[in-house]
Amino acid sequence: MKIDASLSDDIGATQAAAAKIESDGYAGAWTSETKHDPFLQSLQAAMATESISVGTAIAIGFARTPMTLANLGYDLARYSKGRFILGLGSQIKPHIERRFSMPWSHPAPRMRELILATRAIWATWHEGEKLNFRGDFYNHTLMTPFFTPEAHEYGPPPVYLAAVGEKMTEVAGEVADGFFVHPFTTMRYLEEVTIPALLRGRAKAGKEGLDGFVINGPSFVTVGRTQEELAANIRGTKARIAFYGSTPAYRQVLEIHGWGEAQDELNALSKQGRWDDMADVITDEMLNEFSIVGTPAEVGPRLVAKVGKTYERITFYGGYEAEPALWAELLAATR
């Protein structure tokens, strides 16, 4: 199991942080689309490293077209010498329509087409195939030599897709190379909902099982050396779990455990702007379903035992700021 790290949104420190991630022994560095462009940050990370994977976890697919994604992915594969991973997610309707001013409709079929269209463009550039993609949401039929980049030795990057719901998860299994398990996931939900959906998608693509398919899981960990530090970080993790739990699209994760009413309460509190009160809704039972809690020496082995047979890659995920030395202790404890 490979253990990766996330880059912060401090873009002025990206190169130094990426180099530190590599020297500390992590396998990859991920950028996310929050305050800054994740592709520019990925380029900075690739420039500062030599061997680790660099990727977007995640970039918002519906904020872009297949052509823009094709350009970004193909160029970053070359800049990184084959180390770039194109990680995509759909986001939710209000953000797509009101933040990005882009169309929203039938997210799972649209995402399927977005990835297939991007791959069709790459096939034109890398393999010389005629561009003739015609779908319900995207059409790409024009590619002249002036706009065709030179093929390069690294080829198109792998594509990972993030999902929670069954339909989008099936799409990941069918058209992607890997899958981001949302941190707001329990092992029960993974085993009863996520894995079966991935397998259905793989079957649609004529593939058997998950061999060659990467499951990547940002995993909640709640770590502290002292009782005081641990208590503060428990509060931070509960706040982040509550934030995700307030989103109606993630209700099904709570419902599988019989916690559907908590989603109603969290959603109501979020609409009232009572963000500081939401952590109180998350019980210790809920916390321990989503996160492993303890000292670094305790959490490391338990994390490996929990997800090591299912995940090929993980990233430590907390709802709080932790000093790098604390994560370093946790990384050492997983070895």
Side-chain angles (χ1 to χ4, degrees), residues 67-111:
M67 188 60 69
T68 56
L69 287 173
N71 275 128
L72 288 162
Y74 202 61
D75 288 350
L76 278 165
R78 184 173 183 177
Y79 286 133
S80 67
K81 298 182 179 179
R83 295 183 289 126
F84 178 69
I85 299 168
L86 176 60
L88 300 175
S90 60
Q91 247 299 347
I92 58 176
K93 182 178 180 180
H95 281 265
I96 299 303
E97 292 186 336
R98 295 164 48 201
R99 181 168 148 226
F100 291 104
S101 191
M102 292 289 278
W104 174 273
S105 63
H106 308 292
R110 180 182 284 272
M111 181 62 76

Side-chain angles (χ1 to χ4, degrees), residues 120-142:
I121 295 166
W122 285 336
T124 297
W125 294 345
H126 195 68
E127 300 164 22
E129 295 185 8
K130 180 178 175 58
L131 182 59
N132 186 30
F133 185 89
R134 301 174 188 270
D136 295 325
F137 307 100
Y138 303 102
N139 290 282
H140 293 275
T141 59
L142 177 63

Side-chain angles (χ1 to χ4, degrees), residues 8 18 31 34 42 55 57 62 64 81 107 115 142 146 166 171 228 235 237 245 263 281 306:
S8 76
T31 68
T34 52
S42 293
F62 294 157
R64 299 169 175 87
K81 298 182 179 179
I115 294 174
L142 177 63
F146 186 78
E166 292 184 68
V171 169
E228 293 77 12
R235 182 72 182 180
T237 299
Q263 202 281 323
V281 178
K306 178 181 179 181

Side-chain angles (χ1 to χ4, degrees), residues 168-176 179 197-199 201-203 205 207 213:
M168 191 69 77
T169 302
E170 281 191 28
V171 169
E174 181 185 3
V175 302
F179 179 73
L198 286 173
L199 290 171
R202 297 281 286 175
K207 299 174 181 176
F213 186 86

